[in-house]
Amino acid sequence: MAESDFLSESGTLNFLAELVAADVKFMVVGASAAVLQGVPLVTQDIDLWFAELPDPKLPSVLSKIGGIYVPPMGHNPPTLAGDCVKLFDIVITCQGLESFEIEYERAIAIDLGSVVVPVLSLARVIHSKKAAGRQKDLAAIPALETALKTILEEQRPKLWADHQQSKL
């Protein structure tokens, strides 16, 4: 897949590439995961789910690109700050899904041209959005399900685990 328009923002692909290079365990989830799989949705951010927070490698990655990790404070969840990471949101949990480790094994590999990233599969995005039950999530379900049907008829996405094995 070619670089997506919403990833063309300065530093966005660089941040993802640095995360992959540093072997930070993360995956793209939510509407941004759906968009990367070809679903015609509009999203304003890129949701990242990390295996652990704070990840010990994350501050170093962020330092390289001019960003910082802001830990949770009170009722505020952790976040990222800096121009290079302004499109990214940190997701703490995904409704209706298994643990990060199980979902990570199910993730698919999406080639963004300069980096291959792990992405929550469209079927799991749909499952999570249904479980969350928010009106905005439920409104997106028909488009997500139509896209999933098309993807399943046309091709089998490459699993992230297969991509990792091919690098060895």
Side-chain angles (χ1 to χ4, degrees), residues 53 67 81 86 138 147:
L53 281 176
K86 65 185 175 189
L138 297 176

Side-chain angles (χ1 to χ4, degrees), residues 6-162:
F6 81 110
L7 288 175
S8 62
E9 182 78 28
S10 176
T12 302
L13 277 174
N14 189 35
F15 177 51
L16 293 171
E18 290 291 342
L19 288 172
V20 170
D23 200 28
V24 173
K25 287 181 83 173
F26 76 96
M27 72 179 115
V28 179
V29 298
S32 46
V35 169
L36 289 175
Q37 292 170 74
V39 179
L41 291 178
V42 175
T43 184
Q44 297 179 6
D45 55 27
I46 302 165
D47 295 327
L48 298 180
W49 188 15
F50 292 90
E52 63 177 310
L53 281 176
D55 184 295
K57 300 174 211 154
L58 188 55
S60 153
V61 167
L62 289 164
S63 175
K64 279 185 176 180
I65 62 168
I68 60 169
Y69 173 77
V70 180
M73 298 178 77
H75 295 291
N76 295 324
T79 190
L80 302 172
D83 283 343
C84 54
V85 292
K86 65 185 175 189
L87 294 180
F88 293 95
D89 283 339
I90 295 174
V91 173
I92 303 300
T93 60
C94 291
Q95 295 291 323
L97 298 183
E98 303 281 347
S99 70
F100 177 90
E101 289 299 325
I102 291 171
E103 298 298 344
Y104 187 78
E105 288 300 315
R106 295 176 178 162
I108 60 170
I110 299 286
D111 186 344
L112 300 176
S114 59
V115 63
V116 178
V117 296
V119 176
L120 187 67
S121 74
L122 191 50
R124 300 304 289 158
V125 170
I126 293 168
H127 186 78
S128 180
K129 289 195 172 293
K130 285 180 177 179
R134 298 178 303 183
Q135 189 152 4
K136 72 175 193 168
D137 293 327
L138 297 176
I141 298 296
L144 294 170
E145 289 178 334
T146 299
L148 178 60
K149 182 179 178 194
T150 302
I151 288 170
L152 292 175
E153 289 172 357
E154 292 179 0
Q155 66 196 30
R156 178 189 166 269
K158 184 175 184 179
L159 294 177
W160 179 250
D162 295 340

